[in-house]
Amino acid sequence: MSHEKSEKLLVLPDWRTVSLRALCLGMFLVRMNVEEGLKRKAVTSDKAPQGLAESLDRYLKNHGVLASLSPNEKTLVGKPVGSWAMQDIVNTSWRAEALGSILWALTQFESLPPYDTPFVLPEILGKLGNPDDFPNRTTLRTPIELSKARNAAELWHWRARTAVVQRRGVAPPPGLTFPGIIAQSAKMAFQERLIPQPIDNDFPFSGKPYSKLSDAEYQNAGSIAQERHFAFNWLCGYSANWDETSTST
């Protein structure tokens, strides 16, 4: 696992920057819902609900969100309503995990869901409430809390990537085995209270060891971990640029 930033001074985003990032993601996910609905109903962009584009545009401008969108977000938001590709919709849908993590960082959730439980989109969007007073209803957690959450996210993401390496048939480092590496990591992570009690010397996921996940479970597990890791790296100052935040492990 990478700790490349450990010896560098990390500059954490302030409370207002984090609040605006939450609003950006909230708007982005609302747009994703619209795009998904149009795709599901096979409605063409020229038949999109009248005034929808104007409504989203007003939201961006009226709540100070437009200037806080990342370049990648601006590109997608700038596309005509109903024109997103399905992959854009899928990729954006997983940003719910990033938004949920940020809302936890802003004390809108008492605890993070376990890593086998995704955030519920309507619930996290509901936490944003009125965008005008949202920042004033938030408090940013301490750097120590954020760092511990980041470490847990990195561990879960590392476990997902280790599964990828195993499935590709890559050999472990000389003198080691993947089960041994995983068992040692799980033991240490549990001792540090970063993961629940291991099952069969492995990270626990939905009541079974990570190594026993189905393909669908594995895909979900990896996406949850990656998005939370991404959000917490940004929250912990690993990058000032949202789009360029690294999730190396």
Side-chain angles (χ1 to χ4, degrees):
M1 289 168 284
S2 171
H3 297 283
E4 59 189 26
K5 295 282 186 176
S6 60
E7 296 181 358
K8 297 181 181 180
L9 179 63
L10 299 178
V11 180
L12 279 64
D14 62 21
W15 146 82
R16 180 158 183 80
T17 299
V18 176
S19 295
L20 285 172
R21 175 97 307 262
L23 290 174
C24 286
L25 288 170
M27 185 285 308
F28 206 47
L29 286 163
V30 168
R31 173 68 184 269
M32 180 276 298
N33 262 343
V34 171
E35 295 289 336
E36 184 181 32
L38 293 173
K39 275 281 190 293
R40 189 168 53 244
K41 296 174 183 176
V43 177
T44 57
S45 58
D46 62 312
K47 294 181 181 179
Q50 191 172 19
L52 179 57
E54 291 81 358
S55 177
L56 289 170
D57 189 57
R58 281 196 301 273
Y59 176 93
L60 289 169
K61 293 177 180 177
N62 293 346
H63 302 299
V65 177
L66 185 60
S68 298
L69 289 174
S70 73
N72 289 348
E73 289 168 343
K74 286 179 180 177
T75 297
L76 268 181
V77 169
K79 291 184 176 182
V81 173
S83 68
W84 282 20
M86 184 54 69
Q87 193 59 53
D88 293 329
I89 294 171
V90 172
N91 291 345
T92 302
S93 70
W94 282 111
R95 280 292 190 240
E97 294 301 312
L99 175 55
S101 300
I102 287 174
L103 288 172
W104 172 84
L106 289 168
T107 64
Q108 299 305 292
F109 289 105
E110 290 187 9
S111 60
L112 286 165
Y115 273 76
D116 57 6
T117 306
F119 282 97
V120 178
L121 184 56
E123 183 179 359
I124 59 176
L125 290 178
K127 291 289 185 180
L128 295 174
N130 181 356
D132 289 326
D133 66 5
F134 173 73
N136 296 324
R137 292 185 279 107
T138 65
T139 302
L140 192 59
R141 292 182 187 272
T142 67
I144 292 176
E145 290 177 285
L146 296 178
S147 179
K148 184 174 181 179
R150 195 211 71 82
N151 290 343
E154 182 184 48
L155 274 168
W156 281 101
H157 197 192
W158 170 83
R159 182 63 187 90
R161 284 181 168 166
T162 301
V164 172
V165 171
Q166 288 179 282
R167 291 182 179 209
R168 289 176 179 171
V170 177
L176 299 175
T177 66
F178 281 121
I181 294 170
I182 291 166
Q184 182 64 20
S185 297
K187 179 181 178 180
M188 293 178 63
F190 176 65
Q191 289 174 343
E192 295 176 12
R193 299 184 178 182
L194 295 176
I195 69 169
Q197 175 76 49
I199 299 177
D200 293 344
N201 297 314
D202 200 351
F203 288 49
F205 193 96
S206 297
K208 56 187 174 184
Y210 204 101
S211 61
K212 300 298 183 182
L213 299 188
S214 66
D215 288 343
E217 288 173 325
Y218 164 72
Q219 292 295 333
N220 286 338
S223 295
I224 290 171
Q226 178 175 325
E227 287 297 327
R228 294 187 190 182
H229 186 196
F230 182 95
F232 282 118
N233 271 2
W234 180 80
L235 284 163
C236 289
Y238 279 56
S239 175
N241 185 315
W242 175 259
D243 289 338
E244 296 179 3
T245 301
S246 171
T247 55
S248 61
T249 56

